[in-house]
Amino acid sequence: MSTIGLVDNELRRFLTDFPIPEMDAEHLAAVRAAPSIPYPESPDIQAIGVAEHYIKCDDGSPDVRVLIYRTTAKDVASPAILHMHGGGMVLGAPEMSDATNRIHAAALGAIIVSVDYRLPPEHPFPAPLEDCYAALKWLHGNASNLGVDRARIAVKGESAGGGLAAGLALLARDRGEVPVTFQCLTYPMIDDRPACEPHPHTGEFVWTSRSNRFGWSCYLGQEPGGEGVSPYAAPARAVDLSGLPPALIIAASLDLFLEENLEYARRLLRAGVPVEVIVYPGAYHGFPMAGATALNRRYERDIREALVNALSKKHAQKD
């Protein structure tokens, strides 16, 4: 039985106008080469500058490309957000989030660094996560030159990027080199293990269980759900979630990741980590791609308010 009747009315048109093919090895190259789905155009915000930068890695890994979004220079240090794009671990680039990053840079007075991490299957775990960590460490180490307040650095991502952000928060906690203030996770991809009892109303649209299995196989370099998977790759596998930064977890009621996202939030709360959870009814995975809808305006407002609160000086001083 289809769940189309549960989809928010304004979000249905996107499913018809831009059908998303299931992802597999046979079609990956074609999907990568195809024109990207048109995201909302970037707003004309003159005060926002965008610069491309390549971060050199100490371990001999390839330079990590990032896009840096910033407002005009200020006398006070700004908060910063390290952003990871989505794409099921096998697709995407920072440019796909250009509009959102411009909006948030302007609204928050923040510097946003969006990471062009290496993609599986050509570069499986830990390459993508280490690229993100290299960018986080560079951002923290160059805070003075960038005009960044080291006490107000957040990580943020959507889907695969949300999974990388969650894994990065764990890695940063355990390596103890860079403090992370906040983790903003939009329907994060965090658990490679198949659900024991699949939810009857999730995973029909955009990102299916078949696509998910392919994405995880590429990222892990092995079949998902097996033994020996690192919790930095699949954060839901982490035994100890204590000491992680506060989180916002965005979930969608029809998304394949709904229950793993809710379970992760529950476990964070039991570990003493402050968490806000928002579940959007009638929304599927990737719903912001549908453009200017009432639900998407609410989503952008919720994200913005959470980041403003988390990155405020008052909040940072209290912590």
Side-chain angles (χ1 to χ4, degrees), residues 58-248:
D58 297 334
D59 63 358
S61 298
D63 294 353
V64 180
R65 174 179 173 264
V66 297
L67 295 183
I68 305 171
Y69 296 80
R70 63 184 309 151
T71 57
T72 53
K74 296 182 179 180
D75 295 332
V76 296
S78 302
I81 299 169
L82 187 75
H83 171 257
M84 278 65 69
H85 65 80
M89 295 296 182
V90 294
L91 300 169
E95 284 80 1
M96 65 193 291
S97 301
D98 182 75
T100 300
N101 284 334
R102 287 176 183 270
I103 291 170
H104 287 162
L108 302 170
I111 293 173
I112 298 179
V113 177
S114 192
V115 188
D116 192 7
Y117 55 87
R118 286 172 287 175
L119 296 176
E122 296 86 350
H123 305 285
F125 176 83
L129 184 63
E130 289 294 351
D131 285 352
C132 297
Y133 187 80
L136 177 65
K137 192 173 178 180
W138 171 83
L139 175 58
H140 182 265
N142 290 273
S144 297
N145 293 334
L146 293 168
V148 166
D149 182 351
R150 286 186 175 90
R152 293 187 290 159
I153 297 177
V155 295
K156 176 179 179 289
E158 306 81 38
S159 188
L164 287 167
L168 192 57
L170 284 164
L171 191 62
R173 178 200 65 179
D174 294 346
R175 288 185 176 175
E177 296 178 310
V178 181
V180 174
T181 299
F182 189 67
Q183 48 183 329
C184 184
L185 314 177
T186 296
Y187 37 74
M189 182 177 175
I190 53 175
D191 199 343
D192 65 299
R193 298 164 297 187
C196 295
E197 296 182 16
H199 194 294
H201 303 309
T202 64
E204 181 181 357
F205 306 112
V206 180
W207 193 249
T208 65
S209 58
R210 178 183 173 186
S211 296
N212 194 49
R213 181 176 180 179
F214 174 71
W216 275 113
S217 296
C218 292
Y219 186 40
L220 299 177
Q222 65 183 59
E223 278 296 303
E227 299 295 327
V229 173
S230 170
Y232 302 127
R237 287 182 177 250
V239 175
D240 179 14
L241 299 181
S242 63
L244 288 172
L248 169 66

Side-chain angles (χ1 to χ4, degrees), residues 247-264:
L248 169 66
I249 296 181
I250 297 290
S253 67
L254 305 178
D255 185 4
L256 183 69
F257 298 154
L258 172 66
E259 292 193 321
E260 67 189 64
N261 291 170
L262 296 178
E263 175 63 11
Y264 195 63

Side-chain angles (χ1 to χ4, degrees), residues 17-40:
D17 292 349
F18 300 101
I20 308 295
E22 287 197 307
M23 196 64 59
D24 55 32
E26 181 182 354
H27 299 100
L28 177 59
V31 173
R32 284 178 172 176
S36 60
I37 295 170
Y39 277 70

